[in-house]
Amino acid sequence: MINSLTLTNNTLLGLSVEELEQWAQDEGQHAFRGRQVYDWVYKKGVRDLDEISVLPKEWKHALRKKGVSIGRMRIVEKLEASDKTIKFLLETNDSEYVETVAIPTDKRLTVCVSSQIGCPMGCHFCATGKNGLRRSLQVNEILDQVLTVNEVFGRRSTNVVFMGMGEPLLNLDTVLNSIRCLNTDLGIGQRRITLSTVGVADTMPKLAERALDSLGRVQFTLAVSLHAPNQKLRETLIPSASQYPLKKLLEDCRHYFSITGRRVSFEYILLGQLNDKPEHAKQLVELLSGFQSHVNLIPYNPIEDEDFQRPTMKNMNRFKNYLQTRGIAVSFRSSRGLDQNAACGQLRRRQESIH
Ligand code: SAH
Ligand code: SF4
């Protein structure tokens, strides 16, 4: 006898085909009704159970009465930049706001998803961290962001990066569950998924083990937000860094590699005059020696209430060249969508100050 299924918040998005079959049976329906729901929710991307024309009317009525829904969010705002990047503001059932960014190119459609509403880590350069954490997102709310992008662009998202609002490692099980679902149900290969973290003490080995457990193998990329080449400077930018020394963070990165076989990559926001000088590049090379890793350089995007500077093009290139000539693979994250409140968290902040 299979145990009956409990829905999280009465929502269906995030359930596997087997779980939907089980749920349909718990509802006194045939298992194939669950498969129908699965196809319409994931393949056709319907927003409402009422749109599933093949389901019996009485059942849909009964579900509505019980408050069961697919678990989609409402699109509040859609801002399109001149380069076709679209930034979405989505509203949850409990009237919270979530930001998502879609970045299209000819070959790819990348979705930058949020994993939490706000963030408790409070990094000084980040708009999301300014008002603390409201709550973590649920699996339906993470998947909804990708389905919304599919719907608006009329094509399937190819890549997902957890680089929107929130710290994914503070919502570990839900994030792993959504990776499983993105992979199995929305057809996005694990290699096309990146999870970005600023580092949460004692979580990286747990991430490696749980990911192996729940996904079978770990192929997504873990990107670690370093932003500074030494502990002292890092603590001035990232308050949580004082509880998680760089030395331990890098040890955990090695440990992660030993469990999963996947090298982590590193992110480094270049802040003009603060961490973009040759001495910082030199320290970073020393810090990462032996890692054979990839470093993604991100030019700082100005946010309100902070007077960090954008790095000059000259300093950015000097930094990049220093790393490259010492054998480190480097790329720049391009500042797409810069004309539309680009730094993540800004749109939600603006929305909340209006209300
Ligand atoms: N909490 C995770 C993931 C979300 S933040 C993390 O910090 O890694 C996603 C990315 O946006 C991180 O690389 C972060 O450093 C970057 N970011 C935040 N504020 C920024 C800003 N003002 N300019 C440029 N990048 C920023
Ligand atoms: Fe949170 Fe990441 Fe922003 Fe830091 S940079 S406050 S960890 S979302």
Side-chain angles (χ1 to χ4, degrees):
M1 165 99 187
I2 306 170
N3 289 335
S4 65
L5 201 104
T6 320
L7 299 183
T8 312
N9 272 351
N10 263 344
T11 57
L12 300 174
L13 195 51
L15 297 186
S16 65
V17 68
E18 294 80 16
E19 287 169 329
L20 283 169
E21 284 174 350
Q22 177 61 43
W23 163 75
Q25 285 173 304
D26 293 348
E27 283 280 332
Q29 303 284 328
H30 285 291
F32 81 88
R33 292 289 181 207
R35 288 196 294 282
Q36 288 178 323
V37 171
Y38 178 85
D39 284 339
W40 285 67
V41 167
Y42 292 107
K43 309 285 181 289
K44 295 196 206 285
V46 291
R47 292 185 157 266
D48 199 298
L49 285 170
D50 273 342
E51 293 173 60
I52 310 182
S53 54
V54 293
L55 295 184
K57 276 212 175 63
E58 315 77 64
W59 187 32
K60 284 194 280 194
H61 182 71
L63 290 173
R64 198 174 334 117
K65 260 180 94 177
K66 277 201 279 189
V68 175
S69 73
I70 292 175
R72 298 293 306 264
M73 295 193 279
R74 191 172 73 84
I75 303 177
V76 179
E77 212 175 321
K78 227 169 46 185
L79 290 174
E80 184 170 339
S82 48
D83 64 2
K84 305 284 178 216
T85 295
I86 297 187
K87 189 154 190 172
F88 295 89
L89 190 66
L90 307 170
E91 190 180 7
T92 64
N93 258 340
D94 56 350
S95 308
E96 297 284 357
Y97 295 104
V98 177
E99 285 189 19
T100 304
V101 183
I103 306 150
T105 62
D106 287 346
K107 292 202 178 115
R108 291 181 179 194
L109 177 55
T110 303
V111 194
C112 176
V113 297
S114 295
S115 56
Q116 296 188 302
I117 298 168
C119 181
M121 307 303 271
C123 304
H124 295 304
F125 48 80
C126 173
T128 301
K130 291 293 167 199
N131 300 334
L133 175 73
R134 293 297 287 254
R135 66 168 172 84
S136 283
L137 291 181
Q138 292 147 8
V139 68
N140 62 300
E141 294 163 332
I142 294 178
L143 297 170
D144 171 88
Q145 300 174 57
V146 178
L147 285 171
T148 295
V149 170
N150 290 355
E151 177 185 319
V152 168
F153 281 80
R155 61 193 254 222
R156 275 174 40 181
S157 302
T158 58
N159 294 64
V160 171
V161 294
F162 284 82
M163 291 185 185
M165 301 193 308
E167 171 44 56
L169 295 199
L170 293 176
N171 192 14
L172 190 59
D173 289 330
T174 303
V175 165
L176 285 176
N177 195 10
S178 54
I179 291 179
R180 184 205 56 72
C181 193
L182 288 171
N183 194 209
T184 316
D185 309 315
L186 292 177
I188 301 174
Q190 264 202 58
R191 288 178 191 281
R192 293 170 174 268
I193 299 174
T194 299
L195 204 156
S196 172
T197 177
V198 78
V200 177
D202 303 324
T203 326
M204 248 190 290
K206 204 156 79 186
L207 164 70
E209 276 150 22
R210 294 229 188 131
L212 274 179
D213 253 13
S214 63
L215 304 171
R217 58 189 167 176
V218 179
Q219 291 181 321
F220 61 82
T221 300
L222 180 64
V224 173
S225 293
L226 272 187
H227 308 326
N230 63 63
Q231 177 64 16
K232 197 160 160 240
L233 184 55
R234 197 163 188 265
E235 279 183 28
T236 67
L237 302 171
I238 304 169
S240 63
S242 58
Q243 278 102 55
Y244 194 18
L246 254 183
K247 196 163 171 271
K248 178 77 175 98
L249 172 67
L250 292 175
E251 246 170 52
D252 285 349
C253 291
R254 288 192 187 90
H255 190 181
Y256 181 87
F257 173 63
S258 72
I259 300 176
T260 62
R262 297 281 297 170
R263 286 183 199 290
V264 299
S265 65
F266 296 99
E267 290 165 283
Y268 192 102
I269 295 188
L270 284 166
L271 300 149
Q273 300 304 317
L274 241 184
N275 67 358
D276 65 342
K277 297 184 184 156
E279 72 205 61
H280 301 119
K282 183 166 181 278
Q283 286 172 26
L284 186 60
V285 168
E286 283 160 14
L287 194 72
L288 298 183
S289 74
F291 262 99
Q292 291 177 337
S293 206
H294 180 265
V295 175
N296 198 9
L297 296 174
I298 312 163
Y300 170 65
N301 240 333
I303 62 166
E304 275 172 38
D305 310 333
E306 289 293 344
D307 16 287
F308 293 117
Q309 306 292 313
R310 253 189 229 276
T312 60
M313 195 53 94
K314 186 169 154 246
N315 284 5
M316 284 180 4
N317 283 328
R318 185 176 61 188
F319 201 96
K320 179 176 179 233
N321 291 339
Y322 189 94
L323 264 56
Q324 257 171 352
T325 51
R326 277 140 191 101
I328 296 184
V330 196
S331 59
F332 272 121
R333 185 189 298 167
S334 60
S335 301
R336 292 193 49 161
L338 249 189
D339 43 348
Q340 291 291 2
N341 291 289
C344 205
Q346 294 200 155
L347 211 56
R348 171 171 162 266
R349 269 190 107 195
R350 200 197 63 203
Q351 182 76 15
E352 299 209 321
S353 64
I354 298 169
H355 284 255

